[in-house]
């Protein structure tokens, strides 16, 4: 009988111990779960704050990916089209150079020079490689085409039958439009520019493809805005870096690229024979017919006078009438 009582007491004690251990485990699991949830939410919030978003550059010639945004953190990527998430996944980032990335100095220089030519920006040699953590040929992870994805001088590139460029700010085209559209000048126009008192606007030559040819080898362009015509923008640019400081070219701009240029105003002369001078001025009527008049003078007397009319076609080209 005594043995039976001891056994019963033993079972009761074992039950109570097991019960308390079970409760403690449940409490620990609950606390761990809460901590884990809070940690995940904290990490998620932290990761979102550390994402840097890249936007389609207006300097791309092909608009296939114009609605794409690419968000990149230290180890993750998200690709978004409008409001739709295309894919997300883990990535690896690695510091490199054009020579290392393209396997040779020759290939590295060729690719770098092509980007300089296409995007009007003097890129350095250091790049950051971006790759799918599972490898480029894997079927998991973010499968958005990012073969050859890398960052150089705050420009992100990926390859898909040619390189596409993304920048870390909203497309600057709206700002550019404001720069080259806002003007107090009205048509018809036939004024002579006072080069001593003229007021210019300025912008970086990298914002519009083709401006580098008119910047006197500088990174900034000075210009005067003329009224827009049928979706084409017009600016006058001084080319005063040579022997003749009074020279203005009229540029037509469409889709953030220089389409045409025309010498419209200035004085050209030989420094060794300044008595012989060629004077050019122009006017524009309400239909954007441009008339350019050139007078050749020898010792103050008119030797010849030429008048040529031009029109603008829908693509922005300046055509002789």
């Amino acid at each position: 009988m005594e043995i039976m009582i001891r056994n019963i007491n033993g079972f009761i004690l074992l039950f109570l111990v097991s019960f308390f251990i079970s409760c403690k485990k449940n409490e620990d699991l609950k606390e761990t779960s809460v901590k884990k949830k809070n940690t995940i939410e904290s990490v998620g919030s932290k990761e979102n704050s550390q994402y840097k978003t890249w936007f389609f550059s207006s300097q791309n010639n092909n608009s296939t990916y114009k609605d794409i945004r690419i968000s990149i953190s230290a180890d993750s990527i998200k690709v978004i089209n409008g409001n739709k998430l295309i894919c997300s996944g883990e990535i690896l980032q690695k510091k490199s150079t054009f020579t290392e990335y393209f396997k040779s100095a020759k290939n590295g220089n060729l690719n770098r020079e092509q980007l300089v030519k296409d995007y009007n920006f003097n890129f350095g040699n250091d790049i950051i490689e971006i790759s799918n953590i599972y490898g480029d040929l894997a079927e998991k992870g973010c499968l958005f085409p990012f073969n050859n994805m890398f960052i150089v001088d705050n420009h992100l590139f990926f390859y898909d039958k040619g390189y596409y460029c993304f920048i870390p700010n909203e497309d600057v085209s709206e700002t550019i439009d404001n720069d080259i559209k806002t003007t107090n000048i009205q048509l018809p126009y036939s004024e002579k520019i006072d080069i001593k008192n003229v007021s210019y606007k300025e912008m970086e030559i990298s914002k519009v493809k083709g401006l580098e040819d008119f910047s006197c080898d500088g990174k900034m362009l000075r210009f005067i805005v003329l009224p827009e015509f049928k979706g084409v923008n017009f600016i006058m640019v001084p080319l005063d870096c040579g022997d003749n400081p009074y020279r203005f070219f009229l540029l037509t701009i469409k889709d953030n690229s220089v389409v045409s240029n025309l010498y419209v105003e200035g004085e050209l002369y030989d420094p060794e024979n300044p008595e012989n001078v060629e004077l050019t001025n122009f006017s524009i009527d309400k239909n954007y017919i441009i008339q350019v008049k050139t007078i050749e003078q020898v010792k103050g007397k008119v030797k010849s006078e030429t008048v040529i009319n031009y029109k603008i076609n829908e693509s922005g080209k300046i055509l002789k009438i």
Side-chain angles (χ1 to χ4, degrees):
M1 187 68 175
E2 184 179 347
I3 294 173
M4 184 180 296
I5 292 173
R6 284 203 302 267
N7 287 341
I8 291 172
N9 289 337
F11 282 123
I12 292 173
L13 179 62
L14 180 62
F15 172 78
L16 291 173
V17 170
S18 299
F19 176 77
F20 283 117
I21 290 176
S22 176
C23 289
K24 184 68 170 64
K25 283 184 177 180
N26 288 337
E27 287 296 323
D28 289 343
L29 287 172
K30 185 177 180 181
E31 184 178 354
T32 301
S33 177
V34 171
K35 286 182 178 180
K36 185 176 180 182
K37 181 181 179 182
N38 290 338
T39 301
I40 291 172
E41 288 178 352
S42 174
V43 170
S45 175
K46 186 177 179 183
E47 281 187 345
N48 287 336
S49 66
Q50 292 180 342
Y51 272 100
K52 182 174 182 177
T53 301
W54 303 80
F55 300 87
F56 187 81
S57 171
S58 60
Q59 290 185 277
N60 287 296
N61 290 323
N62 189 320
S63 61
T64 300
Y65 295 105
K66 65 182 179 66
D67 296 323
I68 292 292
R69 302 194 312 276
I70 302 173
S71 293
I72 295 176
S73 70
D75 55 7
S76 302
I77 186 171
K78 294 188 295 186
V79 181
I80 301 166
N81 188 345
N83 295 321
K84 181 181 179 182
L85 179 67
I86 301 300
C87 69
S88 62
E90 295 179 88
I91 58 171
L92 293 174
Q93 296 196 34
K94 174 186 173 185
K95 290 183 178 180
S96 186
T97 64
F98 274 91
T99 297
E100 294 171 351
Y101 190 70
F102 291 101
K103 310 303 181 186
S104 72
K106 180 179 179 181
N107 289 337
N109 288 333
L110 286 174
N111 281 278
R112 180 178 170 277
E113 289 171 3
Q114 188 63 49
L115 293 181
V116 170
K117 179 180 178 182
D118 291 344
Y119 293 98
N120 303 313
F121 191 86
N122 190 22
F123 296 106
N125 191 47
D126 295 326
I127 67 177
I128 299 174
E129 299 179 29
I130 308 292
S131 60
N132 188 345
I133 195 171
Y134 301 105
D136 288 339
L137 302 179
E139 295 184 359
K140 56 183 179 178
C142 186
L143 302 182
F144 176 79
F146 65 105
N147 258 347
N148 293 349
M149 179 179 277
F150 58 86
I151 298 170
V152 53
D153 290 340
N154 222 23
H155 291 66
L156 181 145
F157 292 93
F158 71 83
Y159 187 86
D160 184 21
K161 299 177 182 178
Y163 279 104
Y164 289 85
C165 178
F166 284 71
I167 55 178
N169 297 303
E170 286 280 10
D171 198 334
V172 295
S173 59
E174 184 177 347
T175 304
I176 293 172
D177 284 347
N178 291 335
D179 286 342
I180 63 180
K181 283 183 178 179
T182 307
T183 180
N184 294 323
I185 296 175
Q186 296 181 346
L187 299 181
Y189 175 85
S190 59
E191 297 180 17
K192 185 177 186 293
I193 298 172
D194 181 355
I195 60 173
K196 293 183 179 180
N197 297 304
V198 62
S199 178
Y200 295 110
K201 287 189 173 185
E202 288 190 346
M203 70 175 167
E204 296 178 2
I205 61 173
S206 60
K207 287 187 175 182
V208 175
K209 190 171 184 179
L211 288 184
E212 69 278 3
D213 295 330
F214 304 92
S215 66
C216 292
D217 295 326
K219 291 186 177 181
M220 300 296 294
L221 182 84
R222 296 166 296 148
F223 61 97
I224 301 168
V225 181
L226 292 176
E228 179 187 5
F229 180 72
K230 293 185 177 179
V232 179
N233 298 113
F234 297 81
I235 61 174
M236 283 189 292
V237 177
L239 258 68
D240 49 9
C241 46
D243 293 330
N244 297 273
Y246 176 30
R247 286 193 303 159
F248 286 86
F249 280 74
L250 178 67
L251 309 186
T252 62
I253 298 173
K254 189 167 185 178
D255 297 328
N256 289 332
S257 294
V258 175
V259 179
S260 280
N261 71 86
L262 181 67
Y263 172 56
V264 292
E265 183 173 340
E267 297 180 1
L268 298 178
Y269 57 87
D270 184 348
E272 296 181 359
N273 193 9
E275 292 183 334
N276 296 347
V277 61
E278 182 183 273
L279 307 174
T280 300
N281 59 68
F282 76 110
S283 63
I284 305 175
D285 69 13
K286 290 185 177 181
N287 296 314
Y288 241 103
I289 299 300
I290 304 167
Q291 184 178 92
V292 179
K293 181 185 293 186
T294 302
I295 299 173
E296 184 181 358
Q297 290 184 350
V298 178
K299 295 182 179 180
K301 294 183 179 181
V302 176
K303 180 180 178 181
S304 65
E305 181 176 316
T306 304
V307 177
I308 302 177
N309 292 327
Y310 300 87
K311 65 179 181 179
I312 311 297
N313 71 4
E314 292 182 357
S315 64
K317 288 186 178 180
I318 301 173
L319 304 174
K320 187 186 294 186
I321 300 177

